[in-house]
Amino acid sequence: MRDLRFDNRFVRELPGDPEEGRHVRQVHGACYSRVEPTPVRAPKLLAWSREVADLLGFDAADVRSQRFAEVFGGNALLPGMEPYAACYGGHQFGNWAGQLGDGRAITLGETINPRGQRWELQLKGAGPTPYSRSADGRAVLRSSLREFLCSEAMHYLGVPTTRALSLVATGEQVVRDMFYDGRPRPEPGAVVCRVAPSFIRFGNFEIFAARGEESLLARLIDFTIERDFPELAQAEPDPARRRIAWFEEVCRRTAVLMAHWMRVGFVHGVMNTDNMSILGLTIDYGPYGWIDNFDPDWTPNTTDASGRRYRFGHQPRIAHWNLWQLANAIYPVVRAVEPLERALVAYADVHEVEYRRMMQAKLGLADWRAGEQADDGLLEQLQRLLQRGEMDMTLFFRRLADVDLEAPSLAVFEEAFYDPSARAAVEDELVGWLRAYAARLRIDGVPGAHRRAAMNRVNPLYVPRNYLAQQAIDAAEAGNVGELEALLEVLRQPYVEQPESERFAARRPDWARNKAGCSMLSCSS
Ligand code: AMP
Ligand code: MG
């Protein structure tokens, strides 16, 4: 297997923990602790992303070599790798949680690919670090497969995300109590190698603010701008103004990300500030879920079932709250309240504009009309009907392009209904809505074929529905990764109808409605 070129700026330019070893501790005055992955018994490559491999400069023969499984299972290092675990804190479910850090993630290094791009390689589930607290530093196959699959799927859906290179089985068992109900059981372990330009989170800044380590906070902010926002570093030489411009950009990217999640029906499940990427990427796939029947109040995360803080429809507001925490954290360095507040207000504006733009595209409208027959009203009414009628979000929007505008009916939506009585309750109103919608489209006067093609480019047919991921997990646990491969293959082109793969477009089957892993997930992973 070929080597990669590494340029490890994070460990080279920022202070590290002088203490060595994996023992759990509070780490002060440092951005990271050097720690190597703990070797596993029998690393075996289960799945890989050929596009990410290509991005990094690996070919198929590299990936198939035993050394690849050794390196990306945590048993060997490539020359130039300098592994570390990052120190960060975070607000969990609205409360400051103190030091968290990479408890089971270990960055291997920052590689520079043949195109000159910087990609950080990070193993998840690679064993204990100083930040592991009371846990084991490992990850189970089910959660690793879910992260591997969904992060790649998100990329193809056009949603900003961390990527995944590989899924490696460890050949070891990990004990987990999946629903925290006193029934722990051993499960197969796995390691994902995830890949992103940076894994820095809001929490990396919060920890230094919380501890009053202001000079370190300033160093990390300026490092982040220089390494991860080079266009800002170039455009704004004044350090004070540059930091403001940076926060504005973080707000903007986060607003765009939230609009994407709402567009595709993704629920992150644990939007703690340590799970918020400074680059505006979807990061840390845990008990996430996909909306089947449209329900803004739904959360997949049983750990959040009581307060449902991270429910689908609440995500843009939570992101705002999280940005607020980031603003508080960087204030000691920025030392100006007003520009931070302005950026937070701008977040809401950008989100509003982006959300409208994406919904406009989903509905196939040529523009967004305010006033008498406002499109806002049309959208709000639709959302109420989708919720009351328990309609599948993905299938509804995909089939909307096929409605006969001359004689609108529910014919094209047959497969989008989950429940006959919920359907009966909205049928008439929905047909009424479709008539109003058809009338609205006639104002635009866009040719039908043109509109349908445009709608199909933003309304996916295939998303990694929770039950599909669970089927791939069940098969993989039984030793068959073919199901995962087939699913990933379809998800590479989520907007393209693939007749031979129709089964992956099906709405959630009844058996999956209340099944663990399909509609209920926990943080246990
Ligand atoms: P999460 O809820 O997955 O974002 O994790 C929150 C914190 O717990 C992070 O600091 C993780 O690194 C840590 N953590 C989660 N699971 C484990 C584990 N199995 N071993 C060690 N640390 C963990
Ligand atoms: Mg996390």
Side-chain angles (χ1 to χ4, degrees), residues 88 201 274-275 284:
Y88 54 82
R201 303 139 190 273
D274 52 306
N275 291 338
D284 268 17

Side-chain angles (χ1 to χ4, degrees), residues 283-508:
I283 192 174
D284 268 17
Y285 291 82
Y288 68 81
W290 288 80
I291 290 290
D292 293 308
N293 54 300
F294 181 78
D295 180 2
D297 293 332
W298 184 71
T299 175
N301 184 359
T302 53
T303 316
D304 189 28
S306 51
R308 283 182 299 152
R309 179 182 173 84
Y310 298 140
R311 62 190 182 272
F312 178 53
H314 207 47
Q315 297 183 115
R317 264 177 289 170
I318 290 293
H320 190 242
W321 190 88
N322 288 342
L323 285 162
W324 190 273
Q325 306 314 313
L326 179 62
N328 281 337
I330 66 174
Y331 172 74
V333 171
V334 172
R335 294 207 165 274
V337 174
E338 209 214 329
L340 294 177
E341 281 181 350
R342 261 205 315 271
L344 287 167
V345 170
Y347 163 85
D349 296 341
V350 174
H351 179 262
E352 186 72 22
V353 169
E354 283 298 313
Y355 179 70
R356 273 225 185 107
R357 204 173 57 76
M358 291 189 197
M359 294 318 288
Q360 177 190 322
K362 283 179 85 67
L363 291 170
L365 301 177
D367 59 7
W368 195 264
R369 293 177 175 231
E372 212 35 23
Q373 292 199 316
D375 291 336
D376 292 301
L378 201 66
L379 176 60
E380 274 164 32
Q381 199 193 350
L382 173 62
Q383 288 174 329
R384 276 197 299 273
L385 289 171
L386 291 181
Q387 184 170 10
R388 266 178 48 218
E390 293 186 23
M391 292 188 79
D392 188 83
M393 177 184 172
T394 303
L395 288 172
F396 175 83
F397 279 103
R398 184 70 184 191
R399 299 298 177 224
L400 185 60
D402 302 328
V403 170
D404 177 356
L405 299 189
E406 301 311 316
S409 80
L410 300 187
V412 296
F413 299 116
E414 286 309 320
E415 354 139 54
F417 287 101
Y418 283 96
D419 181 71
S421 61
R423 174 192 172 140
V426 297
E427 227 163 26
D428 293 345
E429 277 177 79
L430 195 55
V431 173
W433 184 90
L434 287 172
R435 291 208 187 95
Y437 172 68
R440 171 65 185 83
L441 287 182
R442 275 195 287 274
I443 301 177
D444 284 344
V446 176
H450 194 274
R451 175 178 51 82
R452 271 196 298 280
M455 288 174 78
N456 286 346
R457 281 196 295 273
V458 295
N459 291 318
L461 178 56
Y462 308 100
V463 294
R465 292 174 185 269
N466 314 306
Y467 86 88
L468 293 173
Q470 188 57 41
Q471 282 176 335
I473 290 165
D474 291 341
E477 286 184 347
N480 165 22
V481 289
E483 191 66 13
L484 168 61
E485 284 167 4
L487 180 55
L488 180 58
E489 195 57 40
V490 170
L491 293 170
R492 284 192 166 99
Q493 297 188 73
Y495 301 101
V496 178
E497 192 122 18
Q498 301 166 59
E500 71 288 0
S501 301
E502 216 172 340
R503 66 189 178 105
F504 293 119
R507 64 165 190 255
R508 177 196 61 222

Side-chain angles (χ1 to χ4, degrees), residues 160 196-200 202 228-229 250 253-254 276-281:
S198 167
F199 284 95
I200 295 175
F202 291 7
D228 297 334
F229 294 79
V250 176
R253 291 190 192 194
T254 306
M276 295 290 293
S277 148
I278 204 69
L279 289 180
L281 307 173

Side-chain angles (χ1 to χ4, degrees), residues 119-286:
W119 292 102
E120 183 172 335
L121 307 181
Q122 186 176 81
L123 300 185
K124 184 168 174 182
T129 78
Y131 308 96
S132 296
R133 295 180 291 163
S134 59
D136 57 9
R138 292 299 184 192
V140 291
L141 175 59
R142 67 180 148 82
S143 69
S144 305
L145 185 152
R146 280 167 51 84
E147 171 143 15
F148 172 82
L149 175 73
C150 193
S151 60
E152 284 304 282
M154 289 288 257
H155 170 75
Y156 292 107
L157 284 162
V159 182
T161 179
T162 61
R163 304 287 307 265
L165 169 66
S166 54
L167 174 65
V168 173
T170 60
E172 293 176 2
Q173 301 284 93
V174 181
V175 175
R176 288 288 182 273
D177 185 355
M178 200 197 297
F179 285 109
Y180 305 116
D181 60 0
R183 290 186 296 173
R185 68 174 181 104
E187 300 184 50
V191 176
V192 170
C193 177
R194 48 187 193 179
V195 177
S198 167
F199 284 95
I200 295 175
R201 303 139 190 273
F202 291 7
N204 292 71
F205 304 92
E206 288 181 280
I207 187 75
F208 298 137
R211 288 172 169 171
E213 295 180 334
E214 285 172 21
S215 69
L216 201 46
L217 176 63
R219 273 182 78 174
L220 182 64
I221 292 172
D222 293 340
F223 171 85
T224 303
I225 297 171
E226 277 171 36
R227 191 191 66 171
D228 297 334
F229 294 79
E231 62 295 340
L232 285 184
Q234 278 207 323
E236 185 54 78
D238 176 70
R241 281 208 297 270
R242 185 193 275 189
R243 290 167 184 156
I244 304 274
W246 168 67
F247 183 68
E248 288 169 351
E249 177 63 9
V250 176
C251 288
R252 192 192 66 75
R253 291 190 192 194
T254 306
V256 172
L257 180 67
M258 290 306 116
H260 274 293
W261 287 2
M262 302 313 286
R263 169 177 72 87
V264 298
F266 175 78
V267 194
H268 183 284
V270 204
M271 290 179 68
N272 294 333
T273 55
D274 52 306
N275 291 338
M276 295 290 293
S277 148
I278 204 69
L279 289 180
L281 307 173
T282 313
I283 192 174
D284 268 17
Y285 291 82

